[in-house]
Amino acid sequence: MKIFKKRTKKTNKGKAASLPFRINIIFIVVGILFVALLTQLAYLQVMYGSKFKAEVNRSDTSVVNGNVQRGMIFDSTGHVLVGNSAHQAIIYTKGVNVLSSDMYKTANRLAQYVTVPTGSLTKRQLADYYLADASNLAKVEKTISGIQDYSADAKYDKAVTKVEGYPNSTFSAATKNAATIFAKMSGAYQLSTVNIKDDKVSTREVAMVGEHLADMPGVNVGTSWSRNYPNGQSIQGITGTVSNEKSGLPSDRVNELLAQGYSRNDSVGQSYLERQYEPVLRGTKSQTQIVLNSDNQIKKEIKKYGGQKGDNLQLTINAKFQKQLQSLVHSAESSAGGNSTGTYAVVMNPNNGAIIGMAGVDRNPKTSKITDNILGTINSSIVMGSVVKGAMVSGALMDHVITPTNSTLTDQPITTGGVKKSSWFNHNGHANISVDASDALQVSSNSYMMQLAMKEGHFNYVEGGALTMSPNVFNTMRGYFNQFGLGVKTGVDIPGESTGLQGASGYNHIGSALDLSFGNYDAYTTMQVAQYMSTIANGGNRIEPHVVEAIRGTSKNGKLGTVKATVMPKVLNHIDMTKAQRDVVKTGLYRVVHGTNTYKTGGMLSSIKPEISAKTGTAQTFYNGNETVTLSLASYAPSSHPQVVVALAMPNLGVNAESNNMALAKQIYSAYWKTVQSTSTVK
Amino acid sequence: MDTSRRTSKDDQSRIDWGIIFCVLMLALIGLASIYVAATHDSSSTSVLRQVVSQLVWYVIGIIAVVIIMQFDSEQLWKVAPITYWLGIALLASVLVLYSRTYYLNTGAKSWFSLFGLTFQPSEVMKPAYILMMGRVIVQHNDTYPIRTVRSDFLLIGKMLLWTIPVAVLLKLQNDFGTMLVFFAILGGLIIVSGVTWKIILPSVVTIFGLAGTVLALVIPESGRHLLEKFGFQAYQFARVDTWLNPSADTSNQGYQLWQSMKAIGSGGIFGTGFDQSHVYVPVRESDMIFSVIGENFGFIGSCILILLYFLLIYQMIKVTFDTRNVFYAYISTGVIMMILFHVFENVGMSIGLLPLTGIPLPFVSAGGSALIGNMIGIGLIMSMQYHNKSYMFGEDKEFS
């Protein structure tokens, strides 16, 4: 400051004298401001320098998950029911804070090498792409009058509306291609991966992209998988389906699945087995640790875990037999005609509950259109008819209203309150015969079952009298039926099972208790019938039916690997009957096919080798006010040591139908012994 | 005039090597920093191109200095109104012919774009304005040799009158930062113009008081509602928020500042070394160039830079005193205020001392028009030394 003092020492009053002084003031201001700068700099760089250094050196790690192949589903013989087709895919992993302009560049580069279908491109996406180029945006905004009055967002919206209004022909196919790629990239979440193209990626595309990977940050060549069905898609009726990348996670479960670590575009089991066994099938995603520096740029990527393909399911179902069964059911239904509404069949092992085949078709009587509905076996409730009589007789034995040695009753029409109900062969009482329990099954005596019901209801039958029985009898009968699986869930390992339907059970409906006794009142599923017959066949154990045999790893050649878990047969309850009591029922079922009575109902089945025991069913039903007949059948074979149970139901056939069920059963047994098990393995 | 003094040795002393040294050093620091910024940031223009184009601007700037040095006091007096109105014409025409791309990117209609070169007329308006204001003050003081409060108010009125066209045009361009530069120049000139302290002191107190009140009102929510009624906008509040608490929201408004503070802070005392960049700072080749210097050269480097500016301003003040020409004194004060404000605001905003505005660091930031504007300022100062007739009359000569 010496210089200024020297210059100003001779100052007098007046403007000239004050000028140096005032310039000095300016200089002092300069000094003060610069000292302020230096103070703040010292504060930042000297005092907090190390803190900022630490902040800069800080790095974040994030984990990026990669998809792995979903577990496959095999049949009992190791054939693939549900497999995966691997596709080369062009994938894009979005970084952190990626600018739209950078993505625009990447999309344009990638568009030179890859052609994607542009059909799903929306006008908005096309506009967003077009305007991602600053010069396009400027150009468009110039054409909008009064644009400067809008905020930045509103300007952009105006521009989008403008571009959306352009005729489609404004944009070349190449532009649309790039726009589609850009839209897919934009749709990705930070540090998540999307497939840019995963279908029909040519080797040329893979090569071109691979060569230019360095110019396209985030782009890579990967693999994607989609489900395939080498044995036909109808198996989806059991296995269910998976969501694909396009449909994304099922909307009703998005939050739940996101919480479990799924990405929005992951494939996830949507129904049935694919859903039930999702945790097994999904596998473990690969994990790549991404280290970000404080600027959120990717510093390095470390593959932490290669991922584990999902485990495979092995089903109890025999794919070849399943196919045959489905086609038998289908052809039985096509020849049924009339008001027929479907045909369902279940084939299972009575000893462990393994379902070997389950088939079903629905038919729309109006259009005669037949559609596959395998799950009709577990969710269609059908009034089955006399097929339940084995359970009725068993119940009566357990209730001690009859005993193995004392069970003879007279088959006669039952008339109560002016309503007459009778067996099929004895409508008018002209064919009254004495039958014991086994014979009652053989001839399918309705009269016998009604008398058992009245005994269980502690009601003394007087012909023509009022049926003043307590409605408790419904509970008694159903209690026994339930023990065999009729009218309760079977526990099959496929979601969506029905419990069947119960008719009204009050005093006003007491007459229906008689109908219930011979299967003409409550409705059951085909699976319930199969479980009921299995329970009789295996000596009194109600076993959960299941379609999954085991969870297995993958072998080196991609086939079934080591067994990781086996589904053990689960006994739900044991039927408390003596051997003598059981034999009454088993004998009856054997006599249905092989008995000597004129009125035996299953004689047509006697030609089946090995010998089967069975119970047929005929229910009088109605469809849309038209009288129909529902035929059913429950059977096991061989009669002496049962290894397979066949249950089937054919609702709403013509009133004259009487042997469709047996014809189908014969075909099923024939297929079974040819395809699944050789007759040489049984005596 | 004593022609015997016109020797080559005297020619040497007529050129201010101190100023040239400072500007040269700043230019070197600028080129190095632009190189660092260009190397580490992705851009469509190559590193070499960015550095060379800046070099070319320096050459143009030097030519401008040499040309302006040829003008003596009288000639400057004559051209002052011409340059002023020329500048106004440019500022007005840019409102129509502004670069659309630049406008979209920055929201300011203050740039011409011709053949790929961009030019900001407000930068060259600064020296023109300084010249004109110098002329206005001298004229006024000659007309009113005896100062009264009334004549002082009249002077301030005249000065404001010449400032209003500039301010209005800059407001229309949405260039608030540059407008502040003109206000800084105006403020400096009012002080040196000899206006009585009776006016200046209360004004300074009022301005600081108002600024303090507004700032106090920004902080509570209720105060903001009040300010909104006076036409303040949300983005202005956001800038203040960022300034008050730079690390609070580092994603949007605060990102640039926080990155800049991180870069400068992490430089520490000695810096990370030349061409080392760990922190990305947006537009660091231009307005945020100080972040490169702070990061690479640390506190010591920052001090040297600020010292260079201080030295430069000191040299200018020295020249002012040497020439003892009031017209020159006003011009140099204007140039000093211009450079001072640029340095203080630019460095201040980079280190979180002041809110962000788009003001470049003189002689260092990339960008041609700002450099030319500053070089013209240097040219004016150097022309004073070059045409200095008064030093031969001895030290006791007063300002004339």
Side-chain angles (χ1 to χ4, degrees):
Chain A
M1 297 280 165
K2 199 175 154 196
I3 169 174
F4 304 103
K5 281 183 185 150
K6 194 166 76 188
R7 300 280 165 195
T8 55
K9 61 185 174 190
K10 289 184 180 172
T11 53
N12 298 317
K13 288 177 188 170
K15 60 174 182 183
S18 76
L19 184 53
F21 173 66
R22 293 190 176 216
I23 290 175
N24 276 346
I25 286 179
I26 298 277
F27 195 60
I28 289 165
V29 170
V30 171
I32 291 170
L33 293 184
F34 279 13
V35 166
L37 287 182
L38 290 176
T39 312
Q40 172 76 356
L41 271 172
Y43 172 79
L44 275 186
Q45 297 188 303
V46 180
M47 276 178 70
Y48 283 96
S50 50
K51 205 184 127 213
F52 277 108
K53 250 178 226 167
E55 165 75 20
V56 169
N57 292 332
R58 172 186 70 90
S59 55
D60 275 346
T61 57
S62 301
V63 174
V64 172
N65 291 317
N67 281 328
V68 292
Q69 198 182 158
R70 197 173 168 84
M72 303 201 288
I73 301 177
F74 293 83
D75 83 339
S76 58
T77 60
H79 287 102
V80 178
L81 287 174
V82 182
N84 295 314
S85 326
H87 317 280
Q88 293 269 42
I90 310 297
I91 58 176
Y92 173 72
T93 306
K94 197 169 191 170
V96 178
N97 292 343
V98 177
L99 297 175
S100 150
S101 55
D102 290 341
M103 224 151 52
Y104 179 79
K105 277 183 219 156
T106 308
N108 280 344
R109 282 212 189 98
L110 188 55
Q112 294 169 21
Y113 315 128
V114 176
T115 312
V116 296
T118 56
S120 60
L121 185 69
T122 64
K123 287 202 159 226
R124 167 78 200 211
Q125 287 170 336
L126 189 56
D128 279 336
Y129 164 78
Y130 182 72
L131 295 173
D133 183 350
S135 64
N136 285 340
L137 181 61
K139 218 161 54 184
V140 173
E141 287 191 344
K142 228 187 284 179
T143 64
I144 303 170
S145 56
I147 187 88
Q148 51 273 25
D149 300 336
Y150 296 108
S151 72
D153 284 349
K155 273 181 200 166
Y156 186 77
D157 287 344
K158 287 268 163 198
V160 166
T161 315
K162 180 102 186 175
V163 175
E164 281 177 344
Y166 288 179
N168 204 27
S169 52
T170 321
F171 304 101
S172 67
T175 306
K176 285 178 190 162
N177 187 42
T180 308
I181 291 172
F182 180 76
K184 289 189 177 190
M185 288 177 168
S186 309
Y189 288 79
Q190 261 181 206
L191 293 176
S192 76
T193 303
V194 287
N195 291 351
I196 299 294
K197 183 175 186 183
D198 58 357
D199 194 25
K200 300 189 187 106
V201 182
S202 71
T203 47
R204 193 185 126 78
E205 284 176 328
V206 170
M208 291 295 281
V209 170
E211 217 171 288
H212 297 93
L213 280 184
D215 308 330
M216 302 182 288
V219 174
N220 219 324
V221 178
T223 314
S224 93
W225 290 276
S226 63
R227 282 305 211 195
N228 64 19
Y229 302 88
N231 274 286
Q233 294 224 342
S234 68
I235 199 71
Q236 282 182 342
I238 299 171
T239 61
T241 53
V242 294
S243 67
N244 59 24
E245 181 172 358
K246 281 190 204 83
S247 60
L249 296 180
S251 57
D252 52 330
R253 293 162 65 211
V254 167
N255 291 333
E256 173 200 339
L257 291 168
L258 287 177
Q260 289 170 22
Y262 284 89
S263 313
R264 282 174 190 275
N265 58 356
D266 271 345
S267 286
V268 59
Q270 278 180 308
S271 49
Y272 313 139
L273 291 182
E274 294 271 22
R275 176 165 176 182
Q276 187 104 326
Y277 286 90
E278 174 66 24
V280 172
L281 291 167
R282 69 187 279 202
T284 318
K285 290 184 166 193
S286 68
Q287 295 187 331
T288 306
Q289 195 173 51
I290 292 195
V291 181
L292 301 166
N293 64 13
S294 59
D295 272 353
N296 287 329
Q297 286 157 335
I298 296 175
K299 254 162 69 180
K300 56 182 167 180
E301 295 182 33
I302 310 155
K303 190 110 182 175
K304 282 288 188 195
Y305 175 60
Q308 173 77 52
K309 172 185 178 290
D311 283 331
N312 304 307
L313 291 185
Q314 183 168 27
L315 303 189
T316 57
I317 284 171
N318 181 309
K320 197 171 167 196
F321 175 70
Q322 170 70 23
K323 227 172 172 176
Q324 292 169 346
L325 184 63
Q326 184 68 19
S327 98
L328 288 176
V329 163
H330 194 279
S331 69
E333 183 59 39
S334 14
S335 60
N339 282 320
S340 171
T341 51
T343 299
Y344 312 95
V346 172
V347 177
M348 67 186 276
N349 181 332
N351 302 310
N352 62 13
I355 294 167
I356 296 141
M358 53 196 288
V361 291
D362 286 346
R363 178 173 175 275
N364 182 340
K366 289 202 184 74
T367 60
S368 298
K369 193 174 156 32
I370 297 173
T371 44
D372 284 349
N373 179 18
I374 293 177
L375 289 193
T377 53
I378 64 166
N379 61 26
S380 291
S381 301
I382 299 158
V383 176
M384 292 287 181
S386 316
V387 79
V388 306
K389 283 173 182 166
M392 186 63 206
V393 170
S394 299
L397 286 163
M398 283 190 274
D399 208 52
H400 303 297
V401 294
I402 51 170
T403 65
T405 50
N406 182 10
S407 65
T408 306
L409 296 168
T410 304
D411 184 286
Q412 56 187 342
I414 303 295
T415 314
T416 57
V419 181
K420 189 168 78 174
K421 294 174 180 171
S422 66
S423 300
W424 63 277
F425 54 86
N426 190 17
H427 289 300
N428 304 312
H430 301 314
N432 285 0
I433 49 169
S434 281
V435 285
D436 65 5
S438 300
D439 286 334
L441 287 171
Q442 178 182 189
V443 300
S444 198
S445 166
N446 286 355
S447 173
Y448 188 85
M449 302 304 150
M450 289 188 271
Q451 291 175 54
L452 292 184
M454 290 185 285
K455 283 178 189 292
E456 284 179 24
H458 311 293
F459 178 73
N460 276 322
Y461 169 67
V462 181
E463 190 173 349
L467 186 60
T468 54
M469 188 166 54
S470 158
N472 280 337
V473 73
F474 281 107
N475 291 337
T476 312
M477 277 191 281
R478 283 176 184 149
Y480 294 123
F481 286 172
N482 289 353
Q483 290 191 40
F484 288 87
L486 295 169
V488 288
K489 289 201 173 182
T490 62
V492 67
D493 53 353
I494 304 172
E497 189 189 2
S498 157
T499 50
L501 294 170
Q502 276 188 6
S505 340
Y507 188 78
N508 291 342
H509 297 89
I510 194 67
S512 300
L514 302 182
D515 301 328
L516 179 62
S517 71
F518 55 90
N520 231 1
Y521 194 52
D522 283 356
Y524 312 109
T525 66
T526 315
M527 186 61 73
Q528 287 173 353
V529 173
Q531 188 179 47
Y532 140 67
M533 195 44 65
S534 296
T535 309
I536 291 175
N538 68 26
N541 294 315
R542 184 163 80 95
I543 296 179
E544 253 183 21
H546 58 91
V547 292
V548 176
E549 171 91 59
I551 295 165
R552 300 180 66 168
T554 307
S555 68
K556 282 196 180 116
N557 58 12
K559 302 273 177 171
L560 279 172
T562 52
V563 174
K564 296 196 168 174
T566 310
V567 175
M568 299 303 286
K570 188 174 168 198
V571 177
L572 294 165
N573 58 277
H574 182 76
I575 309 286
D576 189 20
M577 284 169 77
T578 64
K579 184 172 182 305
Q581 287 173 328
R582 279 183 229 292
D583 284 346
V584 169
V585 178
K586 283 194 155 184
T587 306
L589 296 177
Y590 182 80
R591 286 187 191 163
V592 168
V593 184
H594 305 285
T596 51
N597 195 301
T598 336
Y599 302 125
K600 71 171 176 184
T601 48
M604 229 183 106
L605 301 165
S606 60
S607 59
I608 298 173
K609 292 284 169 243
E611 286 184 329
I612 73 162
S613 299
K615 182 70 198 83
T616 58
T618 308
Q620 280 145 16
T621 44
F622 290 90
Y623 179 82
N624 259 356
N626 299 314
E627 207 178 326
T628 58
V629 156
T630 295
L631 292 182
S632 61
L633 187 135
S635 64
Y636 59 83
S639 295
S640 49
H641 51 287
Q643 299 191 13
V644 58
V645 160
V646 173
L648 57 91
M650 314 172 87
N652 297 314
L653 298 172
V655 282
N656 296 321
E658 51 184 11
S659 61
N660 303 40
N661 50 351
M662 289 186 276
L664 179 56
K666 275 170 91 167
Q667 293 170 319
I668 292 172
Y669 274 108
S670 156
Y672 177 83
W673 293 115
K674 211 181 284 167
T675 309
V676 180
Q677 208 178 345
S678 162
T679 46
S680 62
T681 60
V682 294
K683 280 176 266 171
Chain B
M1 192 176 283
D2 189 356
T3 45
S4 69
R5 283 187 171 270
R6 293 225 177 267
T7 61
S8 65
K9 198 183 169 212
D10 286 328
D11 265 352
Q12 294 271 312
S13 67
R14 290 173 69 200
I15 291 163
D16 197 320
W17 295 105
I19 290 175
I20 290 173
F21 168 77
C22 289
V23 172
L24 193 68
M25 288 305 289
L26 290 169
L28 287 176
I29 292 171
L31 286 170
S33 307
I34 290 164
Y35 171 80
V36 173
T39 328
H40 290 276
D41 299 347
S42 57
S43 165
S44 47
T45 17
S46 72
V47 175
L48 191 69
R49 215 194 127 132
Q50 289 187 54
V51 176
V52 167
S53 74
Q54 183 70 359
L55 206 56
V56 169
W57 280 115
Y58 276 119
V59 172
I60 299 172
I62 289 164
I63 294 168
V65 169
V66 172
I67 292 170
I68 287 165
M69 276 174 72
Q70 307 310 313
F71 288 79
D72 66 10
S73 174
E74 260 175 62
Q75 286 162 325
L76 288 177
W77 180 272
K78 279 177 197 153
V79 298
I82 302 165
T83 56
Y84 178 84
W85 289 114
L86 208 64
I88 293 289
L90 280 173
L91 284 183
S93 61
V94 81
L95 282 173
V96 186
L97 305 169
Y98 63 92
S99 156
R100 265 57 179 177
T101 331
Y102 218 92
Y103 170 59
L104 282 174
N105 289 335
T106 63
K109 297 179 188 171
S110 47
W111 293 77
F112 286 118
S113 183
L114 255 184
F115 313 117
L117 285 176
T118 52
F119 188 78
Q120 195 181 3
S122 56
E123 293 291 350
V124 292
M125 183 66 212
K126 290 169 194 168
Y129 171 79
I130 290 167
L131 275 181
M132 191 62 213
M133 292 303 273
R135 191 182 145 120
V136 168
I137 298 167
V138 172
Q139 271 183 333
H140 174 87
N141 287 346
D142 280 352
T143 323
Y144 300 91
I146 296 162
R147 304 199 81 93
T148 60
V149 172
R150 197 174 160 274
S151 75
D152 280 352
F153 269 120
L154 194 63
L155 173 60
I156 292 172
K158 284 180 189 166
M159 290 168 85
L160 283 174
L161 211 60
W162 287 99
T163 311
I164 285 166
V166 182
V168 167
L169 288 168
L170 287 173
K171 173 68 194 156
L172 291 174
Q173 291 177 14
N174 282 336
D175 196 348
F176 183 65
T178 307
M179 207 199 302
L180 286 180
V181 179
F182 283 90
F183 287 146
I185 295 169
L186 177 68
L189 287 175
I190 287 175
I191 290 174
V192 293
S193 69
V195 170
T196 172
W197 293 110
K198 283 178 211 162
I199 297 172
I200 293 172
L201 283 178
S203 306
V204 169
V205 170
T206 314
I207 288 167
F208 275 89
L210 267 178
T213 314
V214 167
L215 208 58
L217 281 175
V218 167
I219 296 161
E221 196 61 36
S222 52
R224 291 192 176 193
H225 292 312
L226 193 67
L227 288 175
E228 274 169 7
K229 295 200 176 104
F230 286 99
F232 283 86
Q233 312 234 331
Y235 80 93
Q236 289 167 323
F237 297 145
R239 282 190 180 180
V240 176
D241 283 341
T242 306
W243 170 55
L244 291 174
N245 192 359
S247 62
D249 175 15
T250 57
S251 58
N252 304 312
Q253 279 287 336
Y255 177 69
Q256 191 179 23
L257 174 60
W258 182 238
Q259 289 299 95
S260 166
M261 287 178 71
K262 273 200 303 191
I264 293 166
S266 69
I269 298 174
F270 302 105
T272 52
F274 178 64
D275 205 11
Q276 298 291 313
S277 172
H278 302 293
V279 185
Y280 168 71
V281 185
V283 294
R284 60 174 157 184
E285 75 285 353
S286 153
D287 291 352
M288 282 293 167
I289 195 92
F290 187 73
S291 70
V292 176
I293 299 163
E295 185 179 9
N296 280 359
F297 306 116
F299 182 63
I300 292 178
S302 307
C303 285
I304 290 172
L305 182 86
I306 288 170
L307 202 67
L308 278 172
Y309 283 116
F310 188 77
L311 214 59
L312 181 65
I313 290 172
Y314 172 79
Q315 302 276 347
M316 291 176 170
I317 286 178
K318 191 163 162 280
V319 171
T320 316
F321 279 108
D322 280 346
T323 57
R324 304 193 186 171
N325 174 325
V326 279
F327 183 43
Y328 276 163
Y330 299 142
I331 293 170
S332 67
T333 303
V335 173
I336 288 165
M337 286 310 289
M338 171 174 89
I339 288 171
L340 169 69
F341 188 82
H342 273 242
V343 172
F344 184 65
E345 169 60 34
N346 182 282
V347 176
M349 76 178 183
S350 303
I351 58 182
L353 201 60
L354 295 170
L356 291 173
T357 46
I359 286 185
L361 192 58
F363 311 109
V364 177
S365 286
S369 29
L371 184 59
I372 298 298
N374 289 319
M375 288 300 256
I376 292 173
I378 294 297
L380 289 172
I381 302 280
M382 289 188 69
S383 88
M384 297 176 194
Q385 180 87 328
Y386 194 70
H387 296 285
N388 186 3
K389 297 166 189 160
S390 60
Y391 69 99
M392 61 187 90
F393 297 112
E395 291 213 335
D396 48 18
K397 187 81 170 99
E398 297 293 341
F399 275 95
S400 56

